[in-house]
Amino acid sequence: MKFFPKTKKLLISSFIFMICFHSLLSQSKSCEPISEDRKIEILLKKIGNFEGSFIRNGELHESKEAENHLRYKLKEAKTSFFAPDPKDWTAKLFIEKIATKSFLSGTPYKIRYRNGKEVLSSVWLYEELKNIERCP
C-alpha cells in the first residue's frame, strides 16, 4: 500500500508528536506529597520491622522495642516546653533530636544488621528517608 508523500509526512509528524507529548506527560507527573507526620510514622515502622538489632547505650534491643522507645521519646519531646510546636516536627527533626542518640548519655544509637555490620542510626534513617521521599 502506497501513501501519498504528504500523508506519509503527516503520519510521521503525528507519531513524533505523540511520542514527545507522552514523554512530557510522563515527566510532568509528580509524586504525591507525604506529610511529615506520615514520614515519621513510616520511619518508626521501618525501625520496628528491621531485621536486626538496635543498639542503645551499648545494649542490644529488638527492633520492636526500639520502635516503642522512639515513639515514647517522640511523644515526650512533642509535649516538652522546649520543643517545637508538634505541627512543626519534620522527619529530619525526628531523626536529629529523637532517633540518633541517647538523651541522657549522648551516646549515638546504632543499627546492627543480622550479618553483624553496624551503622549509626542517623546514617540508616537518613537513607530510609531518602527512599521515602523518592518518586517511584
Side-chain angles (χ1 to χ4, degrees):
M1 181 168 149
K2 287 189 171 184
F3 289 104
F4 294 102
K6 287 185 179 182
T7 307
K8 188 174 182 181
K9 284 182 184 179
L10 180 64
L11 284 173
I12 291 172
S13 297
S14 297
F15 182 71
I16 292 172
F17 173 77
M18 286 175 20
I19 289 173
C20 292
F21 186 72
H22 181 267
S23 176
L24 285 172
L25 282 178
S26 297
Q27 291 174 3
S28 67
K29 289 181 184 175
S30 62
C31 293
E32 289 292 319
I34 301 173
S35 73
E36 292 299 318
D37 282 341
R38 182 71 183 125
K39 290 177 192 177
I40 293 169
E41 182 59 31
I42 292 169
L43 287 171
L44 285 165
K45 294 260 188 221
K46 286 183 175 284
I47 291 166
N49 293 324
F50 179 72
E51 293 189 14
S53 303
F54 194 81
I55 303 171
R56 190 176 85 232
N57 291 323
E59 294 182 23
L60 288 177
H61 298 273
E62 294 296 318
S63 300
K64 199 64 179 167
E65 183 183 351
E67 176 189 352
N68 292 337
H69 176 71
L70 294 177
R71 282 185 187 283
Y72 172 77
K73 278 183 71 174
L74 179 62
K75 179 182 167 205
E76 292 297 310
K78 283 186 173 184
T79 59
S80 168
F81 177 74
F82 301 105
D85 189 288
K87 67 178 175 37
D88 294 332
W89 277 82
T90 64
K92 287 182 181 179
L93 187 63
F94 165 73
I95 293 170
E96 292 168 12
K97 302 296 183 188
I98 305 297
T100 58
K101 65 182 176 181
S102 169
F103 177 75
L104 297 175
S105 71
T107 305
Y109 293 154
K110 294 180 182 177
I111 300 286
R112 180 181 289 169
Y113 291 88
R114 290 203 178 214
N115 66 7
K117 177 184 171 187
E118 292 180 7
V119 297
L120 293 172
S121 66
S122 60
V123 171
W124 187 82
L125 286 165
Y126 279 120
E127 189 61 34
E128 291 299 321
L129 181 58
K130 273 197 272 184
N131 291 336
I132 293 167
E133 293 175 335
R134 185 176 296 138
C135 284

